[in-house]
Amino acid sequence: MYSTLITTLNEGIFTITIHRPEKLNALNKNVFDDLDKAMNEVYSNTEIKSVIITGSGTKSFVAGADIAEFSSFNKEQAIQLSQRGQQVFFKIENCPKPVVAAVNGFALGGGCELAMACHFRICSENAKFGQPEVNLGLIPGYGGTQRLTQLVGKAKSMELQMTAQIIDANEALQLKLVNHVTAVENLLSKTTEILSVINSKAPVAISKIIDCINTAVVSDTSSVLGYEKEAHHFGDCFNTEDMKEGTAAFLEKRKANFTGK
Ligand code: COA
């Protein structure tokens, strides 16, 4: 049913595993199409009470958007890519059923953005988080400029996005980016344990909590503008030499040499 996801349904918990292990589960067009479909299934299937999103293997949750796929895009294609990613992630964020990210390794770029679109995050000790897009001459395009700021505050969000620093699980916990850190082998059992508690509560009340809390952080016009601005600024970066250099350097496995053009 899905070419890039493995899904299971157990006692009301629907687990979506992003499965592109050879590319560290990077998000390409097919993953977005599959995630969109999987979320439609979550909205419509009454047997699903809550959702876990995780990555295949123990090395990576999601290592970002697929850099090879977008490296030759023009500005318009880049804006569309960003808007498509934002739309799928809004579907996750606004889901009336709880969606929790079980972060099992690298959550970089689009991976960190996917985790942040979930209602909360639990990670294993080997998890690593970051928005390293500036290394590619880019900015986050799937809501990262907005959601990281909501979660860790303006100053830390500025520092993390401008330095491209990768942080470990304990720092993510300190910054309140994740709610719990577990041993690698306990990640899914801990996540399931929390969701089992939530699944025993009244589903209508749970959906109202999600809606009210989302409204507390994303309803004002400035945050809508923030997402629009992000998509257009993401597109603007595709008109720069630095973006071409940054993505080429990643694909050629070398350090980028930025010139400011
Ligand atoms: N897009 C496309 N391919 C990716 C990818 C991404 N975001 N992240 C990893 N891959 C691919 C690599 O190109 C490599 O493919 P190959 O074997 O065909 O060469 C494979 O996944 C394994 O990655 P590799 O870099 O060899 O693993 P590593 O352990 O040395 O490094 C990372 C792991 C996560 C540090 C490194 O892959 C990385 O920096 N990825 C990009 C992170 C990023 O900038 N994300 C934001 C994108 S907007």
Side-chain angles (χ1 to χ4, degrees):
M1 186 168 178
Y2 299 108
S3 65
T4 63
L5 308 179
I6 297 167
T7 61
T8 57
L9 178 59
N10 262 323
E11 298 186 3
I13 301 177
F14 188 62
T15 302
I16 299 174
T17 305
I18 297 166
H19 185 64
R20 290 188 75 211
E22 72 293 348
K23 293 292 174 192
L24 303 183
N25 306 322
L27 303 172
N28 64 5
K29 180 180 181 304
N30 292 342
V31 179
F32 274 112
D33 289 347
D34 280 347
L35 268 178
D36 196 10
K37 261 198 268 171
M39 288 312 297
N40 289 342
E41 189 178 343
V42 171
Y43 276 65
S44 62
N45 182 346
T46 50
E47 284 176 25
I48 298 176
K49 289 189 155 55
S50 58
V51 181
I52 298 174
I53 298 184
T54 192
S56 202
T58 51
K59 182 171 175 180
S60 182
F61 172 71
V62 165
D66 191 316
I67 298 166
E69 190 181 65
F70 67 56
S71 60
S72 61
F73 275 14
N74 63 28
K75 175 178 168 172
E76 285 315 311
Q77 290 171 306
I79 292 173
Q80 280 167 19
L81 178 79
S82 170
Q83 288 170 336
R84 168 71 173 149
Q86 289 184 0
Q87 176 221 340
V88 175
F89 286 5
F90 278 132
K91 199 175 269 188
I92 294 172
E93 183 168 57
N94 294 320
C95 181
K97 302 172 187 179
V99 185
V100 177
V103 178
N104 56 310
F106 290 114
L108 304 179
C112 190
E113 292 172 293
L114 170 61
M116 292 190 296
C118 295
H119 296 139
F120 59 89
R121 289 140 293 284
I122 297 168
C123 77
S124 51
E125 285 161 344
N126 65 333
K128 300 259 190 281
F129 296 82
Q131 296 292 159
E133 286 85 351
V134 282
N135 288 340
L136 304 168
L138 270 177
I139 67 166
Y142 305 146
T145 59
Q146 308 302 295
R147 293 195 182 95
L148 188 63
T149 310
Q150 290 160 5
L151 286 163
V152 306
K154 179 176 170 181
K156 201 66 200 179
S157 179
M158 288 276 188
E159 183 186 344
L160 289 174
Q161 297 192 43
M162 291 196 279
T163 61
Q165 188 197 339
I166 307 296
I167 60 170
D168 65 16
N170 284 330
E171 190 166 357
L173 183 65
Q174 242 174 36
L175 290 175
K176 300 191 168 68
L177 189 54
V178 300
N179 289 15
H180 303 275
V181 178
T182 72
V184 171
E185 61 276 16
N186 295 339
L187 177 64
L188 288 180
S189 57
K190 174 73 180 175
T191 312
T192 302
E193 186 188 310
I194 295 174
L195 283 177
S196 301
V197 172
I198 298 173
N199 287 355
S200 71
K201 314 293 182 198
V204 171
I206 294 292
S207 72
K208 302 296 182 198
I209 286 173
I210 293 169
D211 191 34
C212 290
I213 294 177
N214 278 344
T215 304
V217 288
V218 295
S219 72
D220 60 287
T221 358
S222 66
S223 81
V224 175
L225 278 180
Y227 288 94
E228 277 174 19
K229 195 169 266 194
E230 180 187 88
H232 284 87
H233 286 347
F234 179 79
D236 286 338
C237 293
F238 280 68
N239 273 347
T240 67
E241 291 300 318
D242 279 347
M243 181 271 168
K244 292 178 182 64
E245 164 63 9
T247 49
F250 174 77
L251 295 171
E252 291 160 18
K253 300 186 188 287
R254 62 173 174 82
K255 200 173 177 325
N257 177 24
F258 293 124
T259 58
K261 294 191 188 117

